[in-house]
Amino acid sequence: MRVATFNVNGIRASRRRGFTEWLAARECDVIALQEVRCPADALPGDAFGALHLTYDPGSRAGRNGVGVLTRVPPAGVRTWGAPVLSRAADGATRWREAAPDVLARGLRRFADEGRYVEVDLADRPITVASLYLPKGGLPAHLQKPGRMREAPDGGARYARKMAFLDAFARHLDHSRRRARRAGRDFLLLGDLNIAPEPADVTRWRASRQMEGFLPEEREWFAAVTGPRRLVDVVRRLRPDEIGPMSWWSWLGQTFENDVGWRIDHHLATPALARAAVSASVDRAATRPERMSDHAPVVVEYAVDHTDHL
């Protein structure tokens, strides 16, 4: 089973840059998408090939939006309250009510933002979730006017991200346990906007006071992962290397110099993590070939196809 996670940074822009060709050549069984950033009625008709799309666009025009592409329609869908779009391989679309879910305390304020969707695969005993975690910002004491791309906000973006992390940790534990009760493994895919270790940032010393690499963010990542919870699959398969990076700024020569961050993750329950046999990042050869500021992270899992659960 070949599985990818990819923050496309706008599916319409990514399609113009070669997403559809990549999709056809890569032949993935499951792809989690983040930052689709497209109203449901404007999704490009030919973007997803023969795959079925489950999509929560959120309510913020031009922002966020998460989806999961699968070879067969999923057996179940859950999100944080909003209806989700199901788009079949032949282009037929319908809105479906997601299965009711009890939101963890603190998540309701994020429920309509198009940040999370969860599907039960119909052909394998696995639940797959796609997450776009808020980028966040710096706490107030680290904000220095004139040295930031964004205007100082007194730590508001930082506080919002930390609130999300606190609430989502409870939700993640609930989803993982529910999948286990149903006899399923659980796989969280997505842009988590956190690089957990120094090996996940090219210039980690210079990044210690940057959002995405703050000690408290990395502590959160460590708390939700572990041998009995969720396993960082890429790091398990490639333990002794820097990266592989999955995001590079559009600015300057960061891409050409491979100055990037590993923030796009596969987090799997232990049995599924043990079934992972290879991990790679589909980094473009040149800047003009980039589909997004992120690159797809692809993992091969030795998981048998099943016709019925």
Side-chain angles (χ1 to χ4, degrees), residues 75-303:
V77 174
R78 285 172 293 278
T79 188
W80 291 344
V84 291
L85 178 76
S86 292
R87 183 172 187 146
D90 63 4
T93 61
R94 69 183 179 93
W95 288 94
R96 61 186 289 177
E97 294 293 329
D101 200 358
V102 177
L103 283 183
R105 184 177 70 256
L107 274 185
R108 190 163 300 281
R109 62 187 285 198
F110 304 98
D112 67 344
E113 294 185 5
R115 291 193 178 275
Y116 185 87
V117 66
E118 181 180 305
V119 304
D120 296 328
L121 300 186
D123 54 353
R124 292 175 175 88
I126 301 170
T127 294
V128 175
S130 179
L131 169 68
Y132 177 47
L133 200 149
K135 178 176 180 290
L138 294 175
H141 71 278
L142 293 180
Q143 295 192 10
K144 299 174 182 177
R147 299 181 62 182
M148 301 170 57
R149 294 196 189 104
E150 299 169 325
D153 66 354
R157 289 186 295 272
Y158 166 82
R160 189 172 185 274
K161 182 175 184 177
M162 297 309 295
F164 184 98
L165 292 177
D166 182 58
F168 185 71
R170 291 188 289 271
H171 177 84
L172 188 58
D173 188 61
H174 172 69
S175 292
R176 177 177 59 84
R177 292 174 183 274
R178 177 175 51 204
R180 184 176 63 189
R181 290 194 298 270
R184 291 177 172 272
D185 277 300
F186 183 80
L187 177 60
L188 177 67
L189 303 167
D191 175 3
L192 272 61
N193 272 310
I194 296 174
E197 300 292 341
D200 301 319
V201 184
T202 305
R203 296 175 177 169
W204 69 270
R205 289 182 178 83
S207 303
R208 286 175 290 182
Q209 294 187 352
M210 295 178 66
E211 63 266 27
F213 197 62
L214 297 171
E216 49 270 46
E217 294 171 320
R218 297 165 57 204
E219 288 169 7
W220 178 90
F221 191 98
V224 301
T225 55
R228 295 180 180 273
R229 294 183 293 276
L230 295 173
V231 176
D232 181 347
V233 175
V234 174
R235 185 52 68 215
R236 175 184 177 274
L237 290 170
R238 303 174 67 165
D240 300 321
E241 66 181 273
I242 302 300
M245 306 308 173
S246 62
W247 176 85
W248 305 262
S249 172
W250 287 113
L251 300 175
Q253 297 294 305
T254 56
F255 179 75
E256 288 77 2
N257 295 329
D258 198 20
V259 179
W261 292 53
R262 189 177 76 92
I263 57 176
D264 301 275
H265 298 285
H266 288 234
L267 303 183
T269 43
L272 183 58
R274 288 192 296 270
V277 295
S278 67
S280 58
V281 173
D282 288 357
R283 185 182 187 275
T286 66
R287 177 183 287 261
E289 296 173 271
R290 298 181 73 183
M291 295 181 285
S292 167
D293 52 350
H294 296 252
V297 180
V298 184
V299 174
E300 300 275 357
Y301 296 88
V303 178

Side-chain angles (χ1 to χ4, degrees), residues 6-20 33-39 42-44 47-48 55 62-66 132 250 290-294:
F6 187 17
N7 180 323
V8 295
N9 197 7
I11 188 61
R12 288 170 288 189
S14 183
R15 174 177 166 273
R16 291 193 298 271
R17 296 176 178 134
F19 173 82
T20 304
L33 303 174
Q34 302 87 42
E35 281 203 278
V36 179
R37 291 169 49 185
C38 185
L43 286 168
F48 307 111
Y55 179 44
R63 298 182 63 185
N64 305 340
V66 289
Y132 177 47
W250 287 113
R290 298 181 73 183
M291 295 181 285
S292 167
D293 52 350
H294 296 252

